[in-house]
Amino acid sequence: MQITVTVNGIEHTRDVEPRLLLVHFLRDSLELTGTHWGCDTSNCGACVIWLDGAPAKSCTVLAVMADGRAVRTVEGLETAAGLDPIQQAFSDKHGLQCGFCTPGMMMTCRALLDENPDPSEHEIREAISGQICRCTGYENIVRSVKAAAAVESGAMQSSAAQQGVTA
Amino acid sequence: MTTTEDARTGVADTGVASTEVAASTPMGYGSMRRKEDARFIRGQGHYLDDIVIPGMLHSAILRSPLAHARILSIDTSAAEAHPKVKAVITGETLAGLGLAWMPTLSHDVQAVLATDKVRFQGQEVAFVVAEDRYAARDALGLIEVEYEPLDPVIDAKHALDPEAPVIRDDLEGRTDNHLFDWEAGDSAATDAIFASADVVSECDMLYPRSHPAPMETCGSIASMDKVTGKLTVHTTTQAPHAHRTVYAMVAGLPEHKIQIIAPDIGGGFGNKVGIYPGYVCAVVGSIVTGKPVKWVEDRSENLMSTSFARDYHMHGEIAATKDGKLLGVRVKVLADHGAFNGTAQPSKMPAGLFHVFSGSYDMAAAHCAVTGVYTNKSPGGVAYACSFRITEAVYLIERLVDVLARDQGWDPAELRMKNLLRSEQFPYTTALGWEYDSGDYPATFQKALDIAGYDELRAEQREKRARGELMGIGISFFTEAVGAGPRKTMDILGLGMADGAELRIHPTGKAVLRLSCMTQGQGHETTFAQIVAEELGISPDDIEVVQGDTDQTPFGLGTYGSRSTPVSGAAAAMVARKVRERARIVAAAMLEVSADDLEWEKGGFHVKGDPSAARTMTEIAMAAHSDLELPDGVEGHLDATCVYNPPNLTYPCGAYICVVDVDGGTGQVKVRRFVAVDDCGVRINPMIVEGQVHGGLADGIGMALMEVMAFDPDGNHLGASFMDYLLPTSMECPSWELGETVTPSPHHPIGAKGVGESATVGSPPAVVNAVLDAIGVRHADMPLTPAHVWRAMQGRPLRTDLAIG
């Protein structure tokens, strides 16, 4: 059946089998291979993307369920302005090793920071608790999120200060 | 024992080299951002399943639902009639090509696709090639296999019973499930020590079957070019060159017509060392269809059929004087190797490096006797960051030391401190014949005790016990043995364990380093560039590291057993030094002086006593390619090759302390703190080293508390998905507290030791010791799940491998 999905702001219309998983639609049909597949059972979170602004595990969503909806993937994190602070922080704080869980982790962490700009360590750990990383022992992922939060909070303050000046 | 106030509040200067990335790229060692991250953080990594080759077909494997059964018939006609199916391959097809069986890395054979019997649940039975991955899976359901079920051998302890069914009746003359007997150490001397010892403690313990479970499963894309006869295999391999040689041996293809390409790998941990039937089937599929064939296993297939780890049933004994001097250790092991002996380890060592089990202590005698058996379980046995079974060895000795301390009422920290090898004893030859290269074990241990605040923790524990709260403190001190060879004593399938390296400096002074090893996340592109940078004064940013492609890299045995830095890292340093000596000759010609009159300062040469008469590496590189007249016998250009044959293993060590709280009502364990002090010699990139340790510590939490592949009496795999095989998440892991000591390896060119597996090897006993300390139980096997902890507290521990009470 025909579906239209907006992925990272671009509309894609494709004919798909009703059983096609969203992760395969993204990877195979749209060639967006940054979203990974890891377990089949919603346990590992390598496949996390955003569906209408909320993190979702794309291995347990059918592509047809995304019809008419907006998807954001890891490829949509970087903008013309540069890397998303969460991407930069993962590199700065060594929040990744093999890189396989990283896209899903970053999508979840980006959503966390949008909702909670100053999360505690426990809140960060809880946010990523539905995802598995076999390399980092999670320590540097937590540090990455804290670093991104600090950068964004600094940016907000400087932006507020600038607005104060212009006002 | 001493403690520092600051350490307990977590603000101590633990002496750890900075893991903060420097503002600019260091000209050599130091924490720097990883070069590979640029693509990974953008989702632009290039993993196996991301690769699409024009015309590529997809495949899937039909697997046995039974652990032991005779195959009566296989009907593939319906599958072949599926409109999208291009080929269906069975064991019979392969037998016609002489490929139904393949050699393992341990002097055995393994079925590629079953012809006679299936010998474990999940064994490969048929292979379907189709236009897409969904169609290939659909067609599996159309294949009809008629089985005659046979009694399976599931409990290794009954594998040698006279009435046990014979699993390997494919091997001529075989009448039982006995695989090998092997021993190490001096049996008589050890027995004599035990006979005269004041105190002896013994313990039965199981290191359960577990699985490396990298986030990316295994897979390959085989592409046979019928015109050139060249086979290209993109595959998830930690050892590309070893794979190429094995393919040549299995398929009878000429080695120069095989190209193995390992793309980015999403974690390996030992899971991606062996050759799996799916890889071979993909090659056959490509030959049969004339198209590239991709095979990627799903998670369940990964857990059920690829290299498991451990599965050692151990009976250990430890002897000591009445005042706590350790005298000797002996152990009998029953090793469950599954249905085929497919361990990936030095071929002359059927128990891997298990015989380092005398650990970190000065002991007069030690002996082990290992018996390997076949069971109806998947093959493998050496995987999961184990340094060839040092996980089992460290677990054995560190549990025995704790059991002895408990039996005698000794403090486990004091007992360890009293017996640890002292710095002046190195190089130290153990009772089992290993020559430990360097270390200052008491200093490493003291640092961990200080960071943890050991005495205060014991005081807190006493207070909590008085209130009825369960708190435990567990210690582990490990010695690792990593960096296999030397080639004389260590080989895989006759291939000596030495690594090549090639370094070329381009005319503009930029460099390319070609390596035989293969990263799976360890950061080789960065670390190895830093090794060359340190030697030549070329920025790591200007050094490209090439790995994984056998057409582009020199021969070597690959990345496992923490051998990349000890072996390939040494090769990188040595080849850089060769280039530096070539550069000296060029600089001498440029400056019109004798090469002996030149002095090296990182980045270039100058005339002794005249720093102004100098040439930089960039200038030298251009001159080496220019019209400069070079002395007779000196070739132009600036490059070198080398093969590094390690004279010995390197022996990193570490002291780990785990603090847990246990809920006595539910058996739930909370790991509150984990202190890890590692000594891996010189650290090239401290940030990466620390990250490696973090990952291994999480493995320890997983193995001690969560991970097990158990089987029911019918041989059903009870850990075949991530819902059943539990891996640690961010919630089970504490914030790790790290420290370091640095004792360089005296025989390694840059003093580095491997570290990739140290924490996986060292951490499980610390967690187990902590839990058992909390609940006051002498021993219970891993994993200490809430149910098992609760049962152990009732005095009824479980057989965790059989999931029965």
Side-chain angles (χ1 to χ4, degrees):
Chain A
M1 58 187 282
Q2 194 176 76
I3 59 170
T4 299
V5 187
T6 302
V7 181
N8 301 327
I10 300 169
E11 210 174 83
H12 298 272
T13 300
R14 293 283 191 284
D15 264 323
V16 300
E17 283 190 67
R19 64 173 173 171
L20 184 70
L21 297 173
L22 181 57
V23 65
H24 289 143
F25 175 72
L26 294 170
R27 291 178 51 80
D28 298 343
S29 306
L30 304 187
E31 298 176 3
L32 292 169
T33 54
T35 300
H36 298 144
W37 166 92
C39 77
D40 276 332
T41 49
S42 285
N43 291 90
C44 84
C47 63
V48 168
I49 49 90
W50 287 11
L51 194 55
D52 285 344
K57 289 177 173 169
S58 61
C59 79
T60 28
V61 176
L62 295 169
V64 294
M65 293 162 71
D67 186 25
R69 301 171 73 180
V71 169
R72 189 183 186 198
T73 70
V74 65
E75 289 91 346
L77 282 179
E78 188 178 14
T79 65
L83 290 173
D84 188 281
I86 199 74
Q87 291 174 298
Q88 188 60 52
F90 265 68
S91 177
D92 290 346
K93 297 294 173 188
H94 194 28
L96 69 152
Q97 291 180 34
C98 81
F100 202 79
C101 77
T102 311
M105 284 285 182
M106 291 193 303
M107 295 312 290
T108 297
C109 295
R110 179 67 266 160
L112 169 69
L113 289 178
D114 286 351
E115 191 181 296
N116 179 358
D118 185 25
S120 66
E121 173 171 343
H122 183 75
E123 287 169 332
I124 296 168
R125 287 182 180 273
E126 212 157 43
I128 60 171
S129 64
Q131 285 165 258
I132 294 170
C133 170
R134 300 288 289 139
C135 299
T136 65
Y138 305 101
E139 182 77 30
N140 287 347
I141 295 178
V142 172
R143 292 182 192 172
S144 300
V145 178
K146 283 183 181 169
V151 164
E152 292 182 358
S153 133
M156 275 172 61
Q157 279 168 13
S158 88
S159 152
Q162 274 180 3
Q163 281 173 10
V165 170
T166 45
Chain B
M1 311 296 161
T2 61
T3 60
T4 64
E5 193 66 25
D6 283 344
R8 278 178 292 111
T9 53
V11 295
D13 172 11
T14 58
V16 179
S18 174
T19 55
E20 291 294 319
V21 293
S24 58
T25 303
M27 190 64 80
Y29 304 161
S31 293
M32 66 173 274
R33 283 185 201 88
R34 300 195 322 164
K35 299 167 73 168
E36 41 274 86
D37 289 353
R39 61 181 185 277
F40 292 146
I41 57 170
R42 291 174 169 86
Q44 300 297 324
H46 209 46
Y47 301 92
L48 189 275
D49 198 34
D50 301 343
I51 297 169
V52 176
I53 298 176
M56 186 177 80
L57 300 172
H58 297 261
S59 64
I61 291 176
L62 181 71
R63 293 174 182 278
S64 167
L66 302 171
H68 199 193
R70 194 163 301 287
I71 296 174
L72 300 178
S73 67
I74 303 179
D75 182 354
T76 61
S77 55
E80 283 164 9
H82 188 290
K84 288 188 173 179
V85 168
K86 299 297 181 188
V88 180
I89 294 162
T90 64
E92 203 178 329
T93 324
L94 295 182
L97 301 166
L99 290 173
W101 295 81
M102 64 177 180
T104 69
L105 299 177
S106 290
H107 308 296
D108 196 359
V109 291
Q110 173 179 358
V112 178
L113 293 175
T115 48
D116 53 344
K117 292 199 307 189
V118 288
R119 293 176 170 83
F120 65 92
Q121 189 188 48
Q123 188 180 338
E124 299 80 359
V125 174
F127 185 77
V128 172
V129 182
E131 288 173 15
D132 64 66
R133 64 175 95 218
Y134 284 58
R137 295 264 162 176
D138 287 344
L140 297 184
L142 301 174
I143 300 172
E144 286 191 24
V145 184
E146 194 181 353
Y147 295 103
E148 176 195 344
L150 303 170
D151 287 338
V153 177
I154 300 306
D155 186 351
K157 292 185 174 179
H158 293 295
L160 299 180
D161 289 354
E163 65 275 16
V166 179
I167 298 165
R168 294 302 301 280
D169 48 352
D170 57 295
L171 300 172
E172 203 174 317
R174 180 160 287 282
T175 56
D176 61 23
N177 298 315
H178 181 259
L179 181 50
F180 64 83
D181 286 315
W182 181 83
E183 57 183 299
D186 186 331
S187 176
T190 309
D191 290 350
I193 289 269
F194 272 82
S196 62
D198 298 335
V199 293
V200 171
S201 283
E202 59 183 313
C203 187
D204 283 306
M205 61 187 89
L206 167 69
Y207 207 128
R209 180 172 277 238
S210 59
H211 197 281
M215 293 306 296
E216 179 205 34
T217 60
C218 302
S220 72
I221 305 168
S223 186
M224 172 60 91
D225 186 320
K226 281 190 172 169
V227 178
T228 63
K230 183 154 184 173
L231 172 69
T232 303
V233 185
H234 292 79
T235 188
T236 50
T237 175
Q238 301 175 217
H241 290 275
H243 270 216
R244 183 179 61 182
T245 303
V246 174
Y247 277 104
M249 292 162 73
V250 170
L253 295 167
E255 208 161 350
H256 67 292
K257 292 288 188 186
I258 304 172
Q259 180 182 15
I260 306 291
I261 303 172
D264 286 327
I265 296 181
F269 316 112
N271 192 202
K272 291 164 180 171
V273 175
I275 303 261
Y276 298 122
Y279 299 167
V280 178
C281 287
V283 173
V284 174
S286 180
I287 293 171
V288 168
T289 62
K291 304 275 188 186
V293 172
K294 177 187 276 187
W295 171 72
V296 179
E297 62 185 1
D298 67 21
R299 179 56 60 189
S300 178
E301 293 178 290
N302 175 252
L303 292 168
M304 289 177 83
S305 71
T306 60
S307 293
F308 75 93
R310 331 283 194 245
D311 219 341
Y312 259 31
H313 298 260
M314 302 183 279
H315 174 75
E317 296 171 273
I318 189 164
T321 65
K322 60 182 181 307
D323 55 356
K325 168 80 184 91
L326 299 180
L327 298 172
V329 58
R330 63 186 174 193
V331 57
K332 285 189 166 57
V333 179
L334 180 65
D336 185 339
H337 280 240
F340 308 103
N341 189 20
T343 56
Q345 64 198 2
S347 297
K348 297 185 189 84
M349 301 177 173
L353 309 191
F354 176 73
H355 50 308
V356 296
F357 64 88
S358 60
S360 313
Y361 310 105
D362 188 13
M363 273 198 253
H367 179 259
C368 71
V370 182
T371 296
V373 297
Y374 289 119
T375 61
N376 286 114
K377 302 176 191 170
S378 63
V382 173
Y384 204 173
C386 70
S387 300
F388 305 122
R389 294 205 190 275
I390 299 179
T391 35
E392 291 92 319
V394 168
Y395 184 70
L396 173 87
I397 186 69
E398 290 306 298
R399 270 280 51 236
L400 282 178
V401 168
D402 252 42
V403 165
L404 174 68
R406 177 194 158 91
D407 288 352
Q408 298 301 322
W410 296 332
D411 179 273
E414 282 177 22
L415 178 58
R416 284 181 172 86
M417 188 61 94
K418 185 179 288 187
N419 289 281
L420 284 174
L421 292 169
R422 300 180 312 278
S423 60
E424 67 271 18
Q425 291 177 279
F426 291 91
Y428 175 84
T429 302
T430 73
L432 292 149
W434 303 93
E435 188 186 293
Y436 292 2
D437 56 353
S438 64
D440 186 353
Y441 292 3
T444 305
F445 189 33
Q446 188 61 53
K447 192 158 214 169
L449 294 168
D450 289 349
I451 296 172
Y454 184 74
D455 291 345
E456 281 75 3
L457 285 171
R458 286 291 177 205
E460 181 191 350
Q461 183 184 38
R462 283 191 293 274
E463 287 166 24
K464 289 204 159 148
R465 276 190 180 152
R467 296 201 298 269
E469 294 173 30
L470 302 177
M471 167 189 167
I473 303 150
I475 300 169
S476 162
F477 195 104
F478 67 90
T479 299
E480 261 268 64
V482 301
R487 62 200 290 270
K488 186 178 175 186
T489 51
M490 296 195 197
D491 69 275
I492 288 185
L493 281 182
L495 305 170
M497 299 185 80
D499 285 4
E502 297 174 4
L503 179 63
R504 171 175 298 278
I505 315 296
H506 299 305
T508 55
K510 316 299 182 193
V512 57
L513 174 71
R514 300 173 189 278
L515 298 168
S516 61
C517 59
M518 179 60 208
T519 185
Q520 311 121 49
Q522 294 92 333
H524 288 181
E525 289 167 49
T526 308
T527 302
F528 282 83
Q530 291 184 268
I531 292 172
V532 172
E534 183 74 26
E535 299 294 333
L536 295 182
I538 298 173
S539 170
D541 293 337
D542 293 333
I543 301 165
E544 183 80 0
V545 174
V546 178
Q547 54 185 337
D549 182 340
T550 55
D551 275 8
Q552 302 292 332
T553 54
F555 188 85
L557 269 282
T559 293
Y560 43 83
S562 297
R563 66 187 297 282
S564 290
T565 296
V567 188
S568 278
M574 296 304 278
V575 80
R577 289 173 191 178
K578 274 190 175 182
V579 164
R580 195 165 70 201
E581 289 313 301
R582 295 259 317 256
R584 177 192 293 274
I585 296 167
V586 177
M590 293 169 80
L591 292 162
E592 298 179 341
V593 296
S594 159
D596 296 339
D597 291 337
L598 291 179
E599 205 163 62
W600 171 258
E601 198 169 340
K602 197 192 270 189
F605 285 99
H606 64 261
V607 176
K608 285 176 188 166
D610 182 7
S612 64
R615 290 295 182 269
T616 66
M617 275 303 290
T618 308
E619 292 165 339
I620 297 167
M622 184 56 82
H625 291 80
S626 73
D627 58 359
L628 177 74
E629 196 69 37
L630 293 169
D632 284 348
V634 177
E635 296 171 10
H637 302 176
L638 198 51
D639 55 17
T641 68
C642 85
V643 176
Y644 186 78
N645 177 31
N648 187 8
L649 298 165
T650 66
Y651 293 84
C653 70
Y656 291 176
I657 299 175
C658 178
V659 183
V660 301
D661 297 303
V662 178
D663 183 327
T666 64
Q668 182 74 43
V669 175
K670 174 74 184 169
V671 178
R672 191 207 310 171
R673 290 181 64 194
F674 201 111
V675 172
V677 176
D678 274 86
D679 189 333
C680 60
V682 172
R683 296 184 176 205
I684 300 156
N685 185 325
M687 176 192 82
I688 288 179
V689 170
E690 188 175 272
Q692 296 256 290
V693 172
H694 288 160
L697 295 177
D699 286 342
I701 304 282
M703 270 174 280
L705 304 180
M706 303 166 75
E707 299 174 36
V708 65
M709 303 209 304
F711 292 80
D712 76 5
D714 293 326
N716 290 308
H717 195 304
L718 303 178
S721 81
F722 278 171
M723 290 188 292
D724 306 293
Y725 187 73
L726 302 182
L727 296 167
T729 74
S730 52
M731 301 305 280
E732 285 80 41
C733 295
S735 182
W736 317 108
E737 300 169 61
L738 267 49
E740 71 169 327
T741 56
V742 176
T743 316
S745 171
H747 65 74
H748 189 276
I750 59 175
K753 305 179 179 185
V755 72
E757 298 166 325
S758 282
T760 312
V761 165
S763 56
V767 182
V768 170
N769 288 342
V771 175
L772 297 179
D773 181 51
I775 63 177
V777 168
R778 189 172 183 271
H779 181 74
D781 286 328
M782 299 184 283
L784 293 163
T785 58
H788 191 203
V789 169
W790 193 84
R791 283 282 298 260
M793 289 171 70
Q794 315 305 312
R796 297 181 296 131
L798 292 164
R799 266 293 293 272
T800 52
D801 57 330
L802 298 178
I804 55 173

